Amino acid sequence: LAGGPPVAEARSAAPTTVVRDVTTVPGRVLDRYRPAGVRAPRPLPAGLAPLRGHGRPAVLYVGAEYCPYCAAERWPLVVALSRFGSFSGLARVESSATDAFPRTPTFSFHGVTYHSRYLSFAGVETETNRPAGDGYEPLDRPTAEQARLLRRLDPGGATPFLDLGNRFLLLGAQYDPGLLHGATLGELARAVHEGRGRAGAAIVASADQLTAALCRLTHGRPGPVCTSPGVRRAAADLLG
């Protein structure tokens, strides 16, 4: 048939300007904490053993490239983690062309490396955005330890799954993925860098909440990040 079914853009290297915009959001922008419509990660029971990797508190993300809620959540996660370290190998990708919020522009954590003095990060993308049979092509496989954690904390199989050191858990996205509709990757990156528009404000507020949770893991380090006005206000919205 002419044209065929809609297909999302395949994973490719993220443009340098886009990566720079989302990983170097100015402090004056991050301090504009406006949490309306943004959902904070919830605290986990105190009895859980801390999640660690390479001797540091660990962050575990499990999602899929086709997933529009994962597409939305990667934006604030990249912003927040960039306040504690740096990424190598961020790729650009779109969510499924046939799911809710089709072709949402975002990043992929497949093959990404994260460098930090304070935290470790594992990003698992279980499937691509390419249809295969009744689902999508498989991609990353969780380790046995990660699979056990998923079964324990997310028996319903929500996506994305975000575990912040076994102290805080987020299932799903913090904000409405529909806010990203109609924008390009570059337009969204610039909106985040400037804290502009509903999408930029939601991503910045979500990143502040994630940062506040991460500061609990690092015992307030680095100080300039964890004592910044936006993070202090976001910390008041965390329940644990």
Side-chain angles (χ1 to χ4, degrees), residues 50-60 81 84 114 116-122 163-167 213-219 221:
L51 184 64
R52 299 184 67 81
H54 307 291
R56 297 182 292 279
V59 175
L60 171 62
L81 284 172
F84 298 85
Y114 179 68
S116 172
R117 296 171 50 196
Y118 309 101
L119 298 164
S120 70
F121 171 71
D163 184 338
L164 307 173
N166 271 358
R167 288 282 306 277
L214 294 172
C215 285
R216 300 281 183 91
L217 306 185
T218 65
H219 303 289
R221 297 181 300 155

Side-chain angles (χ1 to χ4, degrees), residues 18 75 120 207:
V18 166
W75 284 92
S120 70

Side-chain angles (χ1 to χ4, degrees), residues 15 20 22 196:
R20 183 179 64 240
V22 295
R196 177 169 37 83

Side-chain angles (χ1 to χ4, degrees), residues 153-177:
L153 299 180
D154 183 22
T159 51
F161 169 95
L162 180 61
D163 184 338
L164 307 173
N166 271 358
R167 288 282 306 277
F168 295 90
L169 180 67
L170 180 72
L171 302 178
Q174 291 175 268
Y175 64 97
D176 179 8

Side-chain angles (χ1 to χ4, degrees), residues 2 13-14 38 59 79 83 89 91 97 101 108 130 146 149 157 166 172 189 193 211-212 223 239:
V38 173
V59 175
V79 173
R83 305 178 79 175
F101 312 107
S108 173
R130 294 304 196 188
Q146 290 167 350
L149 201 58
N166 271 358
H193 192 81
T211 302
L239 299 178

Side-chain angles (χ1 to χ4, degrees), residues 2-235:
V7 178
E9 180 181 297
R11 183 186 335 105
S12 61
T16 302
T17 53
V18 166
V19 173
R20 183 179 64 240
D21 278 346
V22 295
T23 59
T24 61
V25 180
R28 58 180 170 74
V29 171
L30 289 161
D31 286 338
R32 298 178 205 159
Y33 178 60
R34 293 170 286 176
V38 173
R39 183 170 61 95
R42 65 177 176 85
L44 284 168
L48 284 176
L51 184 64
R52 299 184 67 81
H54 307 291
R56 297 182 292 279
V59 175
L60 171 62
Y61 158 93
V62 182
E65 292 182 344
Y66 74 84
C67 161
Y69 298 92
C70 307
E73 191 57 31
R74 292 189 203 100
W75 284 92
L77 186 54
V78 168
V79 173
L81 284 172
S82 296
R83 305 178 79 175
F84 298 85
S86 61
F87 285 98
S88 299
L90 277 174
R92 66 182 297 170
V93 75
E94 293 178 337
S95 67
S96 169
T98 55
D99 206 331
F101 312 107
R103 301 191 66 169
T104 299
T106 187
F107 304 95
S108 173
F109 290 132
H110 174 67
V112 156
T113 302
Y114 179 68
H115 308 272
S116 172
R117 296 171 50 196
Y118 309 101
L119 298 164
S120 70
F121 171 71
V124 181
E125 305 285 8
T126 60
E127 295 169 277
T128 73
N129 61 7
R130 294 304 196 188
D134 294 331
Y136 296 86
E137 294 175 356
L139 193 55
D140 300 331
R141 183 188 293 270
T143 66
E145 180 183 0
Q146 290 167 350
R148 283 194 295 271
L149 201 58
L150 285 165
R151 288 193 297 270
R152 179 175 183 181
L153 299 180
D154 183 22
T159 51
F161 169 95
L162 180 61
D163 184 338
L164 307 173
N166 271 358
R167 288 282 306 277
F168 295 90
L169 180 67
L170 180 72
L171 302 178
Q174 291 175 268
Y175 64 97
D176 179 8
L179 294 178
L180 311 184
H181 180 70
T184 68
L185 188 82
E187 288 168 345
L188 286 172
R190 202 65 205 162
V192 172
H193 192 81
E194 297 173 358
R196 177 169 37 83
R198 294 180 64 201
I203 291 168
V204 166
S206 298
D208 275 330
Q209 290 181 348
L210 293 177
T211 302
L214 294 172
C215 285
R216 300 281 183 91
L217 306 185
T218 65
H219 303 289
R221 297 181 300 155
V225 169
C226 295
T227 60
S228 62
V231 172
R232 287 203 308 268
R233 288 195 293 272

